[in-house]
Amino acid sequence: MKADPTAQSALLDLQAQDSVLAQLQHRKNSLPEHAQIADLQAKANDLDGARIEADTEVSDLTRAQKKADAEVEQVKTRRARDEERLNSGAISNPKDLESLQHELVALERRISTLEDDELEVMEKLEEAQTRLTALESDLTAINEDLAQAVDARDAAIVVLDEQAAAAQADRAQAAAGVPDELIALYDKVRAQYGGLGAAALRARRCEGCRLELNGADLRDIAAAPEDDVLRCPECGRILVRTAESGL
Ligand SMILES: [Zn+2]
């Protein structure tokens, strides 16, 4: 293949911008914020699950507490009514009086038991509420960290995208100076060799594979017409001669 030295040199510029673009893409993919966001998101999900559980527990216990409260009130109302009857003097029959007194003792015991139960529920409710408050506050903190990490990631991406746009513009400019045929060869070689399709020959060394070429190869290269498109005898990449090739 033939291409004039200016076109070959433009191909090196094109390769340089493609390398910049690949680096920028790599940096974009490996931003530390990606892992940080995934980690925070997982923590936030766990915390939210625990928060929902605690919230349900608080609702259940609030209901249980109201029920216990109502039960105590109900028995207390009955006790008040019995006491009123007892104190009114309306009951003169000793048997009825005794039965009423027995009932009052039973009610007193019942109130005491219900109040113990109510206290237990209240303690549990208080614990659940404390847990819920702590989880909510942890979740708020994690969500703030998450929002910050997302902002940091987005800001980093904006900067990288700006750099990529500049590299893309430079690449387009370089590509304008390279014949389509050479670009097609470059794309093919580049795909084969991990992103590096064209390399400069500097100080007798291919900058693609970093190997120093032997005397015979260097003599062949020196003898080749300057518009010959050469391949590195070591790695097969398009080898572009420069003023510092050392030929
Ligand atoms: Zn090479």
Side-chain angles (χ1 to χ4, degrees):
M1 190 185 290
K2 297 272 187 187
D4 74 57
T6 326
Q8 294 193 33
S9 160
L11 180 64
L12 284 183
D13 293 341
L14 177 64
Q15 171 67 79
Q17 295 311 322
D18 275 341
S19 295
V20 167
L21 286 166
Q23 260 172 31
L24 290 170
Q25 188 58 52
H26 175 73
R27 278 171 62 193
K28 199 168 160 177
N29 293 344
S30 55
L31 285 172
E33 285 84 2
H34 293 314
Q36 210 185 340
I37 287 168
D39 184 44
L40 288 169
Q41 190 65 65
K43 280 185 184 151
N45 289 346
D46 287 351
L47 276 174
D48 199 44
R51 183 193 62 78
I52 290 168
E53 261 177 49
D55 193 50
T56 308
E57 211 181 328
V58 166
S59 302
D60 291 351
L61 287 166
T62 303
R63 229 179 353 259
Q65 198 225 323
K66 277 185 188 148
K67 195 175 156 226
D69 211 27
E71 274 172 359
V72 170
E73 281 316 304
Q74 204 181 14
V75 182
K76 278 185 175 170
T77 304
R78 189 159 162 200
R79 180 183 64 183
R81 205 179 54 215
D82 284 359
E83 276 171 345
E84 211 183 290
R85 280 176 67 207
L86 187 71
N87 296 333
S88 70
I91 300 164
S92 48
N93 182 323
K95 241 183 180 174
D96 289 349
L97 211 56
E98 197 186 343
S99 132
L100 190 58
Q101 272 160 345
H102 276 307
E103 185 174 306
L104 272 166
V105 171
L107 288 175
E108 207 58 59
R109 260 203 310 270
R110 179 80 184 126
I111 287 168
S112 171
T113 306
L114 286 173
E115 278 178 342
D116 285 351
D117 292 351
E118 191 186 19
L119 201 64
E120 204 179 312
V121 170
M122 279 166 77
E123 275 168 11
K124 278 187 188 162
L125 176 58
E126 207 173 304
E127 277 168 24
Q129 261 161 346
T130 304
R131 202 160 52 242
L132 177 61
T133 306
L135 284 166
E136 279 171 344
S137 130
D138 286 354
L139 190 59
T140 303
I142 290 276
N143 279 333
E144 277 166 13
D145 289 351
L146 187 58
Q148 264 178 16
V150 167
D151 284 351
R153 178 201 61 192
D154 291 350
I157 286 176
V158 166
V159 171
L160 292 172
D161 282 349
E162 279 168 7
Q163 291 172 353
Q168 204 71 55
D170 289 349
R171 184 195 192 277
Q173 206 176 2
V178 185
D180 291 347
E181 201 190 9
L182 184 54
I183 288 189
L185 175 66
Y186 161 75
D187 284 339
K188 201 178 112 195
V189 177
R190 191 168 163 253
Q192 248 175 314
Y193 294 94
L196 201 60
L201 177 66
R202 274 200 186 88
R204 298 185 295 278
R205 200 178 284 275
C206 162
E207 293 200 327
C209 60
R210 307 262 156 204
L211 292 175
E212 191 170 331
L213 305 187
N214 65 45
D217 286 337
L218 286 166
R219 275 191 298 279
D220 287 349
I221 288 170
E226 62 171 15
D227 62 349
D228 265 13
V229 174
L230 305 176
R231 306 286 289 269
C232 169
E234 299 293 344
C235 68
R237 292 185 174 92
I238 299 166
L239 192 61
V240 179
R241 284 161 285 178
T242 67
E244 304 91 47
S245 286
L247 294 169

